[in-house]
Amino acid sequence: MARIAVIGAGLGAMSAAARLAVAGHRVTVYERSETFGGSVGRHALEGFAFDTGPGLLHLPAVYRDLFVKTGKEPLERCVTLTQVDPASRHVFADGTDVLLPNASRAGVVAALDAALGEGAGGSWGAFLDRAGDAWDRSRRPLLEEPLRPDWQVLTRDPYPAPVRRRLLRPALRAGTVSEIGSWELADPRLAALLDGYALAYGLDPLHAPASAALLPYMEETFGSWYVSGGMRALAQAVYERCLARKVEFVFGAEVARVLEKDGRAAGVELADGTVAEAAHVVLGARPHPGLMPAQELWQDGDVTVQPRPEGSAPAGRFMVLLSLRGARPADAAHRTLVHPADGAAEREAVFGGRLAAHPTVTVLRPNDPSTRPDDAHEAVTLTATVAPHGPVDWTDPALRARYADTLIDTAGAAVPGLRDRVLRMEVRTPAESEAETGAPGGAVPPPALAGAGGGWLHAGNRTRLPGLLLAGGWSHPGGGPAHAGMSGALVAGIIVEGDGFRGSQ
């Protein structure tokens, strides 16, 4: 049995901690804040409650595997999961309105044909077929294995873009999300649909590689799930599983640096000077200056020492939490995206460090009694992808209020009479995210993507310093609850099985 120190109590770090404890290790988690969950938070006031991080779960198999491997109680005995159907509603600038069913390719094709015109569904379905090929080609090295020493296999884009032939000029293939939208989907509303998936993960469609097609493929193939009580309930269940496996948590404990002895990680030193020795250290937070010399974190040839491509800087989230008078209509969609007329202007603003005048707004309306004081009220969350804190001063009260109004006005296309129903409004910006998670600018890590020379990959789980491993959204395979859970499984596998570990079979 070895002592293991885990830095951070996000989903990735806790997933690693639970698995390591089951393997017989003595695990202590050090968290700088006063609670667990990282970016998976919950805001509750006067009977209303809101997720302050992700609102839906994709690839629930990741957490089903965690709960099976760490105890007798399966995930569904610890939390209530419900498939969201329809998976999403989309309101386009021309007034077109379409409901997309959950995990039904035929249903999505039929819905798009009916709303956008004959052939639109077939075009989207053919795109998803190609995205499925990309999934099959890259799934294992991108998601299920530690980042390999020969990670260069992931520098090639797995998306099989069709050849676009041109008279007297070289043929072209789509290499970015925007090019897929323009060249393969043709209908600007389908292009906006695809852009919306990219933006939701903080990706710039103009620069994100075509392999980002995996994101809508995963959602539309494996479904979208709501956790009763919000995503915080999932974090609570993982935390309780850790406690049941004798993982120790120390909150309000900021780690100042990772200790090194005889050329390997030897423990952690806290900001108050306390030293905790450990045979392994799992870093479940974004590395910061002073924690370890940067050159010690990355392996030789690691992708993180490569130049980052244009448009790859992580974005932030602007959220408006609305307490509403009036009941939630029975036929209201759980998730609605309101798309702007000029997506290019939005992209240029967000990834150019400015405010987008007309953002894509995601409206979440969960049918969950725990989110409201009674059935005569409703809790609604509005979210837009925005530039992080720094390029935009998200502490400016006037700017915050003005942009909240922008989101409310935009969301009115999905929720008629929205403004007149507002009892109270709470605003959360990248400034709050930075303060709570420590991520510079309140940036949200996107999932890892293949292609583009490896510039959209994340740091490998192994580091140049033996005994120091990386878990969570800022390491392989990237951000989001499912990907973070995968990183925890990979780190636990490396520690338990050694350097020969190659992922689950």
Side-chain angles (χ1 to χ4, degrees), residues 30 253-257 259 268-277:
Y30 300 92
E254 183 171 2
V255 173
R257 66 188 182 99
L259 302 177
V268 297
E269 180 181 342
L270 305 185
D272 65 3
T274 301
V275 170
E277 297 181 350

Side-chain angles (χ1 to χ4, degrees), residues 12 28 75 102 106 121 154 210 241-242 293 306 312 365 397 403 405 448 455 493 503:
T28 303
L75 175 63
N102 198 341
L154 290 171
R241 178 55 53 92
C242 286
Q306 308 303 310
S312 66
R365 308 178 72 181
Y403 212 60
D405 281 341

Side-chain angles (χ1 to χ4, degrees), residues 46 61 70 76 88 143 148 186 189 276 290 301 366 388 428 455 475 481 502:
E46 297 180 1
T70 59
E76 275 82 356
S88 57
L143 301 176
R148 293 154 44 167
R189 293 165 297 184
R428 291 182 55 85
S475 62
R502 290 295 178 266

